[in-house]
Amino acid sequence: ARAYLSSVHHHLFFINDKRVGKGVSFENPEYQYYQAFDIGPFLQPGGDVVFGLRCHWFSGGQGRPASRPGLIFKAVIDFDDGTSIVVNSDSTWKTHPAEWFLDGQKASRNGEGIPSEYIDGRRYPVGWNTVNYNDSDWDPAAQIGPQPTAPWTGTLAAQYTSIDEYEIKPVTVKKI
């Protein structure tokens, strides 16, 4: 089982509340990259599956080409009997505003002239990427079409590099 994902600009990918991976793409939209993920270890026979994606668009600015928010997703799950299931992002998906937002003051950040960004943790929908979460008040996703479609107008190129993250726990902590 594998998943293919591209977003503008940053994404986190979850399956049933477990983080599968993350990525960024600050490329010009016509040269957008996708990431491929092995999702087999996250799937259980007979179990329900929730694909959860968090995306963040930083708007245009220094180091960020003009574009618009969006993501494109495809999962292919092959079975031993030769059949397969394909799951694509479409209008059946749901969306919810994130806990980060731009202020209304249009304060400049690093001289770029873009609004400052704030994060309000109270707006975080706890359990949003779990099977039993009630998303009935979420909005349907806007379907922009299959690739190639704006902003993914060119051939999607595989992103061969990724960042591996792991936690390093201290051997001791000394309070001074």
Side-chain angles (χ1 to χ4, degrees), residues 110-157:
N110 298 331
E112 293 179 351
I114 62 172
S116 298
E117 182 178 65
Y118 294 93
I119 298 174
D120 183 349
R122 297 169 297 182
R123 294 176 53 185
Y124 182 80
V126 176
W128 68 275
N129 53 357
T130 60
V131 172
N132 294 320
Y133 185 80
N134 180 3
D135 64 1
S136 61
D137 62 339
W138 287 30
D139 294 326
Q143 183 173 335
I144 59 174
Q147 198 277 332
T149 190
W152 296 277
T153 56
T155 301
L156 290 175

Side-chain angles (χ1 to χ4, degrees), residues 30-101:
E30 64 273 20
Y31 304 114
Q32 200 74 1
Y33 289 97
Y34 73 87
Q35 288 182 292
F37 298 95
D38 176 9
I39 60 173
F42 296 89
L43 306 177
Q44 300 297 322
D48 290 331
V49 175
V50 172
F51 294 117
L53 295 154
R54 289 181 58 117
C55 295
H56 183 66
W57 180 62
F58 294 92
S59 78
Q62 186 177 12
R64 295 179 305 274
S67 186
R68 65 179 188 199
L71 74 91
I72 190 167
F73 176 88
K74 178 180 182 178
V76 180
I77 304 164
D78 296 321
F79 298 97
D80 290 336
D81 66 3
T83 62
S84 61
I85 294 174
V86 177
V87 178
N88 292 303
S89 50
D90 61 21
S91 61
T92 65
W93 287 40
K94 299 284 193 101
T95 63
H96 184 273
E99 61 276 9
W100 54 73
F101 57 96

Side-chain angles (χ1 to χ4, degrees), residues 10-12 19 21-24 162-168:
H10 179 266
H11 58 263
L12 295 170
R19 191 171 87 180
K22 70 180 193 175
V24 296
S162 65
I163 297 173
D164 292 331
E165 291 183 12
Y166 52 91
E167 182 177 344
I168 299 174

